[in-house]
């Protein structure tokens, strides 16, 4: 009878921390940056829909590009994840809030806002989960 031997050695803690930090700071950060850029660029390209919705998208997109750009450059902390998550929640709610003010919201803007908001909320939650897992494993992703 053969005995099964795993050829996979356990991953050293430092290497596991570096992997989690790379996922946290780079991969998730690039997805956040792409979503923020789409939010900022889309109103300038289309010129369709209500001006209130376009101004909202442009302002929130520019703000997020700054926050996420700092995240990519300096690394992130739970604070930047919370800011991105709150901005994502605002983008999900904004078509309805602006609609309550009797502001005409274009369907394309509504779809973009909700889609980008969902991406931002999901990535910020994933980032927070990775930070928590790294802290439990003894790593130190937190900065600033």
């Amino acid at each position: 009878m053969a005995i099964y031997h795993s050829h996979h050695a356990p991953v050293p803690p430092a290497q596991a921390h570096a992997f989690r930090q790379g996922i946290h700071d780079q991969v998730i950060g690039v997805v956040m940056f792409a979503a923020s850029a789409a939010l900022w660029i889309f109103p300038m390209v289309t010129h369709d829909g209500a001006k209130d919705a376009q101004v909202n998208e442009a302002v929130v997109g520019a703000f997020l590009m700054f926050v996420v750009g700092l995240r990519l450059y300096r690394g992130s902390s739970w604070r930047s994840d919370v800011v991105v998550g709150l901005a994502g929640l605002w983008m999900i709610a904004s078509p309805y809030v602006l609609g309550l003010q009797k502001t005409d919201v274009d369907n394309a803007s509504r779809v973009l806002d909700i889609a980008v908001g969902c991406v931002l909320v999901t990535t910020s939650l994933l980032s927070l989960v990775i930070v928590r897992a790294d802290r439990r494993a003894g790593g130190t992703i937190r900065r600033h």
Side-chain angles (χ1 to χ4, degrees):
M1 177 181 272
I3 297 176
Y4 175 74
H5 293 284
S6 174
H7 298 288
H8 301 288
V11 177
Q15 189 176 3
H17 167 69
F19 178 74
R20 284 189 298 268
Q21 186 176 10
I23 294 290
H24 179 261
D25 289 348
Q26 301 301 318
V27 175
I28 291 177
V30 167
V31 172
M32 287 177 177
F33 192 80
S36 302
L39 194 60
W40 185 61
I41 293 170
F42 185 77
M44 289 189 286
V45 172
T46 60
H47 297 293
D48 288 335
K51 294 301 174 195
D52 289 347
Q54 287 182 345
V55 169
N56 178 52
E57 291 167 349
V59 169
V60 173
F63 171 73
L64 283 175
M65 285 182 67
F66 176 75
V67 169
V68 176
L70 281 177
R71 172 194 169 92
L72 286 170
Y73 179 69
R74 296 183 352 187
S76 68
S77 68
W78 64 270
R79 289 179 199 99
S80 65
D81 295 334
V82 169
V83 168
V84 170
L86 290 174
L89 288 174
W90 166 248
M91 290 314 301
I92 293 169
S94 67
Y96 305 105
V97 172
L98 293 175
L100 290 176
Q101 298 174 0
K102 299 190 185 329
T103 301
D104 185 31
V105 178
D106 188 54
N107 277 341
S109 293
R110 180 178 291 128
V111 170
L112 175 75
D113 292 350
I114 293 171
V116 167
C118 289
V119 167
L120 293 172
V121 168
T122 302
T123 54
S124 66
L125 288 174
L126 283 173
S127 183
L128 288 170
V129 167
I130 291 171
V131 167
R132 183 173 179 171
D134 193 59
R135 285 184 184 163
R136 283 189 172 192
T140 56
I141 283 184
R142 62 188 148 157
R143 288 186 213 105
H144 307 93

